[in-house]
Amino acid sequence: QVQLVESGGGLVQAGGSLRLSCVASGWPIENYGMGWFRQTPGKEREFVATINWSGGAHFYGDSVKGRFTISRDNAENTVWLQMNGLKPEDTAVYYCAEKKNYRGTTKLLRQYDYWGRGTQVTVSS
């Protein structure tokens, strides 16, 4: 089965930037929609961004619009999340997810089939 591994998290000052990577193994991601979610302790997992199979369609959660950008390279089985203008409220564990047998975008957590283990992003004031 597919394995998703996130990387690129860390500690950054408010206003700074980070670039998260999600590398998939097991099978190619070229036919599957992908997404990024985030979660803090005691809260529901929050939708961040989604991208369709070709990269031609993408949508973002209201709290990150204009600051975050999702992209993909199917040849490398990789999805990225570029995060600019980071705020302390962006602090969370960020998760990469894959929708099996579906090429489109979705904001619904329950529609994703596979998840990475997450990478911690901490934004200080």
Side-chain angles (χ1 to χ4, degrees):
Q1 295 184 344
V2 68
Q3 180 180 6
L4 305 176
V5 180
E6 304 95 334
S7 63
L11 177 64
V12 65
Q13 293 283 336
S17 298
L18 285 173
R19 184 176 176 86
L20 306 183
S21 297
C22 172
V23 179
S25 62
W27 58 68
I29 65 170
E30 62 188 12
N31 291 322
Y32 308 117
M34 304 292 292
W36 285 96
F37 291 76
R38 65 187 184 186
Q39 188 171 26
T40 57
K43 296 183 179 180
E44 295 290 329
R45 193 164 294 186
E46 177 189 11
F47 168 73
V48 174
T50 182
I51 188 167
N52 77 333
W53 69 281
S54 68
H58 34 75
F59 298 95
Y60 301 91
D62 289 341
S63 63
V64 305
K65 287 180 179 178
R67 299 188 297 120
F68 290 10
T69 303
I70 187 171
S71 60
R72 68 190 297 163
D73 186 336
N74 290 336
E76 296 186 358
N77 275 351
T78 302
V79 179
W80 295 277
L81 183 69
Q82 178 67 45
M83 305 184 295
N84 299 326
L86 284 164
K87 305 174 181 179
E89 51 263 44
D90 294 319
T91 295
V93 177
Y94 283 72
Y95 297 91
C96 176
E98 176 187 297
K99 300 176 293 176
K100 188 177 181 180
N101 297 320
Y102 182 65
R103 294 188 174 190
T105 57
T106 181
K107 304 175 181 179
L108 300 178
L109 185 150
R110 64 179 179 271
Q111 292 187 349
Y112 287 87
D113 299 289
Y114 297 98
W115 295 84
R117 299 296 297 273
T119 185
Q120 176 71 48
V121 172
T122 302
V123 184
S124 61
S125 300

